[in-house]
Amino acid sequence: MAKGNLLVKLKEYLLITIGIAIFVLGWSLFLVPNNLIGGGVTGIASIIQYATGGVIKIGYSYFIINLILLAAALFVLGKSFGIKTVYAMVLASAGLSLCQDLVPQDIVQALAIDNGKLMSTIMAGILVGTGIGMSMSQGGSTGGTDIIALIVNKYRNVSPGRMILWMDVIVILSSLVVPSYTKSGELVPMTEKVTTVVYGLILITICSTVLDLYLSGSKQSIQIFVLSKKYAEIADAITTELHRGVTVLDGEGWYTKQDVKMIMVLTRKTDLNDYLRVIKSIDPDAFLSVSLVTGVYGRGFDPIKGAMRRKSGKEKANS
């Protein structure tokens, strides 16, 4: 059990690391070289970098702002979230500060500058959305508006991508009132800043869409029904090897008029191959039915969010 828990933790931190690397790559390779604006704390940090002509890099202000938000998240989301988010935040801060100088300029020129701002915006939106989604799916966060979205999502069934989208719109529009300078020290004209805002809105739309698609895919639940004469062995294997609860139902084969036992399991879609492997190793002739479910709430799955207001006696009488 201890070894299994360690492997699970290592897997979580590995996926968070990969997610942060993808997130940093999207910013450092496509957005910063084009002086493009994003949303959230990273967007605020980019506005600060452009306003100071690159003196204060994104990573520094990104780290300081996130420290403040992280303090609030620790009280609401727990210590485990805090540890993972501190790890992700420090990694992202270092990456956003260092990666800008580490990426070769010929690669930046070929992929970001030569392809234009629109293509850079699309590519960055896909990378940033995927990176954030990968981190959030493991209980971590790149910080900023992600933290606010996770706090609200803990108590309400609100789409994280939709929340982040609206908060990012406010950040991007605020860039119009802050002067921006290129690396060469030239002031960015207002006409170009308006265009940058449009690119920013496209960016966060793509990013939020990719984020929701990633999270819905990683959290999609399935329902498995198994008919097998070796139902007891299969149920024991699922319980001991996969650590998932099993329900055994009584049934009757209407054609054979024989009593049968049917196994029902609810699990994540990403774990389906593990279940198929276990079942096939015990009974290759087992009959299975796998179906998607719209939502599973309770222990081991998503909590029931939101509190229903109890009706008063007068309201019950009138209802």
Side-chain angles (χ1 to χ4, degrees), residues 118-228:
L118 179 59
M119 183 57 66
S120 295
T121 299
I122 295 172
M123 291 301 299
I126 295 172
L127 291 175
V128 172
T130 302
I132 294 174
M134 190 174 293
S135 180
M136 289 180 70
S137 67
Q138 303 305 312
S141 168
T142 54
T145 52
D146 306 351
I147 294 178
I148 300 174
L150 285 176
I151 291 175
V152 176
N153 187 251
K154 181 178 180 179
Y155 301 102
R156 293 288 183 271
N157 287 318
V158 180
S159 163
R162 185 65 59 84
M163 282 195 60
I164 293 174
L165 174 62
W166 286 109
M167 288 185 284
D168 289 350
V169 167
I170 297 173
V171 172
I172 290 174
L173 291 177
S174 68
S175 67
L176 290 173
V177 299
V178 180
S180 298
Y181 298 89
T182 62
K183 285 186 176 181
S184 59
E186 298 177 358
L187 180 66
V188 178
M190 179 57 67
T191 53
E192 187 174 339
K193 292 184 68 175
V194 172
T195 306
T196 300
V197 167
V198 175
Y199 285 128
L201 296 176
I202 296 173
L203 171 70
I204 62 174
T205 302
I206 297 173
C207 180
S208 64
T209 302
V210 172
L211 171 60
D212 278 343
L213 287 174
Y214 187 97
L215 291 179
S216 62
S218 64
K219 292 185 176 182
Q220 178 67 64
S221 297
I222 58 174
Q223 184 172 262
I224 306 174
F225 285 106
V226 184
L227 287 171
S228 172

Side-chain angles (χ1 to χ4, degrees), residues 77-94:
L77 301 175
K79 294 181 179 179
S80 60
F81 171 88
I83 294 173
K84 291 178 181 178
T85 301
V86 168
Y87 173 76
M89 186 182 69
V90 172
L91 197 63
S93 299

Side-chain angles (χ1 to χ4, degrees), residues 14-319:
L14 176 62
L15 290 176
I16 291 174
T17 302
I18 296 173
I20 294 301
I22 295 173
F23 169 79
V24 169
L25 185 63
W27 269 96
S28 301
L29 182 57
F30 292 104
L31 297 180
V32 175
N34 285 295
N35 263 58
L36 292 172
I37 302 293
V41 172
T42 322
I44 297 173
S46 66
I47 293 174
I48 294 173
Q49 174 170 319
Y50 302 150
T52 60
V55 176
I56 303 177
K57 289 190 175 181
I58 293 178
Y60 303 138
S61 49
Y62 173 89
F63 182 77
I64 294 173
I65 297 172
N66 273 314
L67 275 181
I68 300 172
L69 292 173
L70 182 61
L74 286 173
F75 291 102
V76 179
L77 301 175
K79 294 181 179 179
S80 60
F81 171 88
I83 294 173
K84 291 178 181 178
T85 301
V86 168
Y87 173 76
M89 186 182 69
V90 172
L91 197 63
S93 299
L96 290 168
S97 297
L98 300 175
C99 195
Q100 296 181 43
D101 299 324
L102 294 177
V103 178
Q105 287 303 309
D106 54 342
I107 295 179
V108 173
Q109 183 70 35
L111 294 180
I113 306 299
D114 293 345
N115 283 326
K117 292 187 176 182
L118 179 59
M119 183 57 66
S120 295
T121 299
I122 295 172
M123 291 301 299
I126 295 172
L127 291 175
V128 172
T130 302
I132 294 174
M134 190 174 293
S135 180
M136 289 180 70
S137 67
Q138 303 305 312
S141 168
T142 54
T145 52
D146 306 351
I147 294 178
I148 300 174
L150 285 176
I151 291 175
V152 176
N153 187 251
K154 181 178 180 179
Y155 301 102
R156 293 288 183 271
N157 287 318
V158 180
S159 163
R162 185 65 59 84
M163 282 195 60
I164 293 174
L165 174 62
W166 286 109
M167 288 185 284
D168 289 350
V169 167
I170 297 173
V171 172
I172 290 174
L173 291 177
S174 68
S175 67
L176 290 173
V177 299
V178 180
S180 298
Y181 298 89
T182 62
K183 285 186 176 181
S184 59
E186 298 177 358
L187 180 66
V188 178
M190 179 57 67
T191 53
E192 187 174 339
K193 292 184 68 175
V194 172
T195 306
T196 300
V197 167
V198 175
Y199 285 128
L201 296 176
I202 296 173
L203 171 70
I204 62 174
T205 302
I206 297 173
C207 180
S208 64
T209 302
V210 172
L211 171 60
D212 278 343
L213 287 174
Y214 187 97
L215 291 179
S216 62
S218 64
K219 292 185 176 182
Q220 178 67 64
S221 297
I222 58 174
Q223 184 172 262
I224 306 174
F225 285 106
V226 184
L227 287 171
S228 172
K229 293 181 179 179
K230 299 180 180 180
Y231 69 91
E233 296 177 48
I234 295 174
D236 289 338
I238 292 175
T239 302
T240 56
E241 294 183 29
L242 302 178
H243 309 291
R244 178 64 69 181
V246 177
T247 301
V248 178
L249 306 173
D250 291 321
E252 180 182 354
W254 195 249
Y255 180 78
T256 61
K257 304 300 181 182
Q258 294 181 354
D259 293 334
V260 296
K261 295 288 187 180
M262 182 167 54
I263 297 173
M264 183 188 74
V265 181
L266 289 167
T267 186
R268 298 296 187 189
K269 183 180 179 181
T270 52
D271 298 329
L272 176 59
N273 288 333
D274 293 332
Y275 284 84
L276 296 179
R277 173 182 54 79
V278 170
I279 295 170
K280 183 179 179 180
S281 66
I282 298 174
D283 185 3
D285 298 322
F287 181 82
L288 287 86
S289 171
V290 180
S291 59
L292 296 174
V293 292
T294 56
V296 181
Y297 302 96
R299 185 175 180 181
F301 292 91
D302 297 326
I304 301 175
K305 300 169 185 176
M308 294 181 63
R309 185 173 63 89
R310 291 186 177 182
K311 292 183 178 181
S312 64
K314 185 177 181 180
E315 289 175 322
K316 289 180 180 178
N318 294 332
S319 61

